[in-house]
Amino acid sequence: QVQLQESGPGLVKPSETLSLTCTVSGGSISTYYWSWIRQPPGKGLEWIAYIFYSGDTNYNPSLQSRVTLSIDTSNNQFSLKLSSVTAADSAVYYCAGAKQWLSFDSWGQGTLVTVSS
Amino acid sequence: EIVMTQSPATLSLSPGERATLSCRASQSVSSNLAWYQQKPGQAPRLLIFGASTRATGIPARFSGSGSGTEFALTISSLQSEDSAVYYCQQYSIWPLTFGGGSKVDIK
């Protein structure tokens, strides 16, 4: 298993863009399938989007119009941008990796992002 | 999207008892089904993938079964450390979707 670490602001203002980066260590970014998953406080898990090292992506239709994923293979990082955030986007955001197709065996510790003015 | 429905919402059992958690998909996901365990303040941990294959390091008391639309996670003999919320997730059809979770309490 690789190690994952999310980074980015913990507080974002409404209507602004949430930006998070996941740094991968202990393995190659090209051998896993990567995703962002979020969890509002006290609630369940919601898959946001997927990216492969080739640049192949897939987005949750519920968020697709606001989400952009990118990957930086030279720095072993992938990133999430979520635009026009509202309070409903407040959640713990996890980056996760799957060695087997999209069953996630590696997770970051999660980062709490609060949307508030 | 495929809706994943988990039951029961909460299960309260004593150590050593057997726990069976159910996950139902709104349409067939074949065997593309994973189970996760999540403890408070922690990230989810993969227990089972491919509906029945234990992930690396997962104790043998955890087992998964099912295919198509009906799945189960069984914990053969509950330990105190198994107190957690358990989620199923399908990865057959985009978007990936999770069940709402089943909480296991150890009496």
Side-chain angles (χ1 to χ4, degrees), chain B residues 25-62:
Chain B
S26 60
Q27 65 187 83
S28 177
V29 298
S30 186
S31 294
N32 298 311
L33 191 284
W35 288 95
Y36 300 87
Q37 176 193 65
Q38 187 179 34
K39 297 181 179 180
Q42 296 184 17
R45 178 174 72 144
L46 178 67
L47 299 175
I48 302 286
F49 64 93
S52 61
T53 302
R54 273 190 305 277
T56 302
I58 301 304
R61 65 180 183 273
F62 292 92

Side-chain angles (χ1 to χ4, degrees), chain A residues 39 58 94 101-102 104 108, chain B residues 36 38 43 46 87 89 91 94:
Chain A
Q39 185 172 37
N58 200 292
Y94 295 101
W101 176 245
L102 298 177
F104 300 103
Chain B
Y36 300 87
Q38 187 179 34
L46 178 67
Y87 293 96
Q89 175 229 330
Y91 51 96
W94 303 107

Side-chain angles (χ1 to χ4, degrees), chain A residues 39 42-45, chain B residues 3-9 22-24 38 85-89 97-103:
Chain A
Q39 185 172 37
K43 296 189 177 181
L45 300 163
Chain B
V3 177
M4 307 300 292
T5 303
Q6 291 187 241
S7 62
S22 174
C23 175
R24 175 176 292 178
Q38 187 179 34
V85 178
Y86 293 82
Y87 293 96
C88 61
Q89 175 229 330
T97 49
F98 290 87
S102 287
K103 184 177 182 181

Side-chain angles (χ1 to χ4, degrees), chain A residues 8 13 15 26 28 33 58-59 71 78-79 82 87 89 97 99 101 109:
Chain A
K13 290 182 168 54
S15 79
S28 172
Y33 305 97
N58 200 292
Y59 298 103
I71 192 162
F78 61 102
S79 298
L82 180 65
D89 295 310
K99 189 143 191 162
W101 176 245
Q109 65 187 24

